[in-house]
Amino acid sequence: MTTIDTTAITVELPEAFDERWSRLPGVQVDGRRITIDPAEYFFRFESNTWLVADWELVKAQLLDVQETTESAVEQLALDFIKAHAGSTSDATRVLATAYEVYAYLFRDEHLASLGLPQITADHLRMLREAATLMALNKVELDGHISNVGPCWFFPAATSVVFDLDDEMGGTLDEVYHGGWFNEHRRIESIKAHAALGGRLVHGCQSVPDQTGGVVAPYGASMSAFRDDLAAFKAGWIERVYAQRVSPAA
């Protein structure tokens, strides 16, 4: 692992996080306050800058804008990022912005149309928490994955923290990257992720692969991303699962 800055990252969020996040190395949770030790938390930590835009500006100027035959939603998001996003080395700002993004995307009002009765409001809370921490992961424009933490491997991390069995962990992953994002949800996702400087991309096709995802900048090489991910994923997924307190029922 390459570290460039081991200063602890501390953020206070509007919602108290589950204390079991402290099962992961380098994470301490005290209600709404979360502290992350980069040297312990990340498998790879090569960049301490992220691209972000103000969430209030996203809400005011992007969320309600409709695509047209000449301007697709992806182009709207890209134009917004070019105009309003900036680089920051403040990881606290990244986490605070990510919390707002995922509080919006994984809001309870969508449960009725999800079509998965086993998914509850509590599961959406799990998704909000995990996705917030996931925002510290990073992919460079050349496709190199510069930051990788346990929440890259979404099913593994949520299974460890929330004591989920493999079936529910996989179902939750499907909600995260598949079943939740029908076209209406996908459009919401593209717009909202402009606040995190890119779009949500996945290294997997379905639950069995469990390769996770990241918010990547528009224009990033997906072929290089795929190759880099394939080289490290198996060993690091195993290390995440090793943090289980007891075998899942």
Side-chain angles (χ1 to χ4, degrees):
M1 174 177 128
T2 300
T3 56
I4 57 172
D5 185 359
T6 56
T7 302
I9 300 165
T10 301
V11 63
E12 191 161 314
L13 298 172
E15 177 183 58
F17 271 39
D18 195 300
E19 292 185 356
R20 290 174 292 179
W21 282 107
S22 298
R23 293 176 177 178
L24 297 180
V27 180
Q28 292 296 323
V29 175
D30 181 13
R32 295 188 295 117
R33 182 180 295 272
I34 301 167
T35 303
I36 297 172
D37 179 347
E40 292 187 30
Y41 176 75
F42 287 97
F43 297 117
R44 181 187 289 175
F45 188 51
E46 300 172 351
S47 175
N48 67 341
T49 61
W50 297 266
L51 192 63
V52 294
D54 182 74
W55 173 246
E56 293 301 319
L57 198 63
V58 172
K59 289 200 298 182
Q61 297 190 15
L62 186 59
L63 292 186
D64 292 331
V65 176
Q66 301 301 311
E67 69 177 352
T68 69
T69 55
E70 296 181 351
S71 184
V73 64
E74 292 86 354
Q75 188 63 51
L76 293 171
L78 180 59
D79 290 345
F80 182 92
I81 290 167
K82 287 180 177 179
H84 300 294
S87 179
T88 182
S89 58
D90 183 359
T92 297
R93 182 184 174 195
V94 177
L95 290 170
T97 300
Y99 173 84
E100 297 295 343
V101 169
Y102 294 110
Y104 168 73
L105 289 177
F106 297 120
R107 58 197 191 273
D108 292 354
E109 70 183 69
H110 291 321
L111 279 173
S113 61
L114 181 58
L116 293 171
Q118 67 271 44
I119 297 296
T120 67
D122 196 45
H123 290 116
L124 295 190
R125 176 185 58 81
M126 297 177 191
L127 287 165
R128 290 193 294 269
E129 293 180 12
T132 295
L133 297 180
M134 186 206 72
L136 295 178
N137 297 323
K138 189 179 178 187
V139 175
E140 305 299 328
L141 277 173
D142 64 2
H144 174 69
I145 301 170
S146 49
N147 294 349
V148 184
C151 282
W152 183 291
F153 311 106
F154 195 90
T158 52
S159 294
V160 167
V161 172
F162 301 113
D163 296 313
L164 303 179
D165 61 27
D166 290 341
E167 181 179 359
M168 180 51 76
T171 300
L172 200 65
D173 190 42
E174 279 294 279
V175 176
Y176 169 62
H177 77 75
W180 185 266
F181 294 125
N182 55 33
E183 185 59 18
H184 180 62
R185 296 283 80 75
R186 189 187 74 86
I187 289 171
E188 280 195 347
S189 175
I190 289 169
K191 293 177 181 179
H193 279 105
L196 296 173
R199 60 184 175 186
L200 186 63
V201 300
H202 301 278
C204 53
Q205 297 299 318
S206 61
V207 166
D209 192 40
Q210 296 195 8
T211 310
V214 68
V215 179
Y218 286 92
S221 170
M222 289 294 101
S223 59
F225 164 82
R226 177 196 60 208
D227 294 344
D228 196 9
L229 182 57
F232 66 65
K233 70 173 186 177
W236 289 350
I237 290 172
E238 186 175 322
R239 286 171 60 183
V240 177
Y241 275 122
Q243 302 302 318
R244 276 179 165 165
V245 171
S246 60

